[in-house]
Amino acid sequence: MTFRLAYLIDTLPAEDPRTDFAGTFAPIDPDAPALSVSDLSSNRGDGIFESIAVVDGHPQETGPHLDRLAHSARLTDLPVPNLAQLRAVVEHAAAQCPPGEYTVRLLMSRGVQHGGPGQGIHGPTAWLTAAQAPDSTAARERGIRVVTLDRGYDSGAAARAPWLLLGAKTLSYAVNMAALREAKRRGADDAVFVTSDGYVLEAPTATVIIRRGDAFLTPEPTGGILQGTTQLSAFDWLEENGHPTGYEHVPVAALHDADAAWLVSSTRLAAPITHVDGRELPVDRDLTAALNAYLLGPRD
Ligand code: PLP
């Protein structure tokens, strides 16, 4: 039996002082229709979300995920959610998950549009789903092949055009999914987006970390990409283990010539990159295994 659950959440304003959230969220049948056909999530992709890993009942890095959700809400002019309420819902869902790896997704759309465009919106709509995580053993242990794909804008786009919402985790992931399909068409497992002026951004659902000598680097999350919660955890662990870490503007050549590289994300964790655009990269299997063992442990 595959485990799945879902809750509808009656979102509270950020300033609501209550500490008992019972009655503000309710389980629903994860297989039954639950959202209005007029919800702006399905009509416009107008909403935000977070995917949180649950390992043996523990939701990983709930705080950083909720902070990023609040950041996404601010960037998209959605009401900033009540983080204490959402934490309670995430913890409630995680406590129902059997042992093993699960993914809790927290989603918030602008709401339901009554009538045509420009007419009243009743919202937001918020819900949570939880399901067994896909098996990532092969990616973690054997690694992945990636291709670089032009994201179609230069490294100044985020500052020049904030309405592109490049630093927000929005529900508009059609481009990210198209990039994954293109990577597969090119014989790879995943993609790495690069700017039109030749800098590394992020993968469609993961952060890039490269190793240069003993130092571990990731592209600066200065508006054009998401700040990865897994990358933050990985950097904590690397620093504790004596490796310098840093944020840089990373040219594509630095990825091609890296001493090792990984895509890191909440569910798959650290997947070592074996090939970039067909060129082989060194893989440090021991370090990758130790990093994944750390990432699988309880993290707050
Ligand atoms: N970048 C993008 C575009 C993502 O969608 C994700 C996660 O889904 C990440 C980076 C990695 O973020 P995290 O480590 O918090 O999962």
Side-chain angles (χ1 to χ4, degrees):
M1 272 283 283
T2 48
F3 168 86
R4 291 168 66 228
L5 65 74
Y7 298 143
L8 266 186
I9 306 165
D10 192 3
T11 52
L12 298 174
E15 60 281 3
D16 190 302
R18 81 184 81 173
T19 53
D20 180 355
F21 300 102
T24 68
F25 59 97
I28 52 171
D29 178 349
D31 294 315
L35 300 181
S36 163
V37 291
S38 302
D39 197 275
L40 289 166
S41 52
S42 54
N43 283 272
R44 300 268 195 221
D46 190 0
I48 55 177
F49 77 106
E50 282 296 319
S51 295
I52 303 174
V54 174
V55 182
D56 294 335
H58 184 84
Q60 303 283 51
E61 300 286 357
T62 308
H65 278 289
L66 293 179
D67 289 345
R68 191 170 63 188
L69 188 77
H71 180 64
S72 298
R74 279 189 287 272
L75 290 177
T76 53
D77 303 314
L78 280 163
V80 173
N82 184 311
L83 298 189
Q85 179 196 25
L86 296 185
R87 176 182 282 278
V89 186
V90 168
E91 286 173 355
H92 196 277
Q96 317 301 311
C97 294
E101 293 182 49
Y102 294 82
T103 303
V104 161
R105 285 160 64 82
L106 198 49
L107 306 99
M108 193 168 107
S109 85
R110 198 169 302 280
V112 176
Q113 182 137 39
H114 298 290
Q119 302 211 289
I121 296 173
H122 176 77
T125 312
W127 67 106
L128 173 150
T129 63
Q132 197 158 14
D135 184 357
S136 297
T137 313
R140 291 174 193 163
E141 293 181 359
R142 286 211 291 275
I144 53 172
R145 305 167 77 96
V146 303
V147 286
T148 56
L149 294 181
D150 187 349
R151 190 72 172 81
Y153 51 73
D154 65 42
S155 38
R160 207 170 54 237
W163 48 89
L164 294 179
L165 303 176
L166 298 177
K169 194 166 168 69
T170 75
L171 291 173
S172 309
Y173 261 48
V175 168
N176 304 45
M177 297 301 106
L180 284 180
R181 291 194 299 276
E182 179 62 22
K184 296 206 165 123
R185 271 194 289 275
R186 296 186 189 194
D189 305 299
D190 212 325
V192 170
F193 284 131
V194 300
T195 61
S196 52
D197 51 341
Y199 290 92
V200 176
L201 288 166
E202 63 188 342
T205 64
T207 311
V208 179
I209 296 179
I210 70 168
R211 179 177 192 161
R212 198 167 59 208
D214 195 37
F216 290 77
L217 307 167
T218 194
E220 276 180 291
T222 46
I225 60 173
L226 299 185
Q227 169 100 64
T229 62
T230 318
Q231 169 264 312
L232 284 170
S233 274
F235 273 22
D236 285 347
W237 180 83
L238 287 163
E239 279 161 28
E240 273 165 31
N241 285 280
H243 302 287
T245 62
Y247 295 88
E248 280 190 10
H249 220 39
V250 179
V252 181
L255 175 61
H256 286 141
D257 298 336
D259 293 315
W262 295 262
L263 292 188
V264 301
S265 53
S266 295
T267 299
R268 192 171 59 184
L269 304 179
I273 298 177
T274 61
H275 296 79
V276 183
D277 297 327
R279 292 165 60 147
E280 200 166 347
L281 281 192
V283 172
D284 186 335
R285 295 200 185 276
D286 291 344
L287 183 128
T288 304
L291 174 58
N292 276 324
Y294 165 75
L295 292 173
L296 278 168
R299 289 181 284 127
D300 288 313

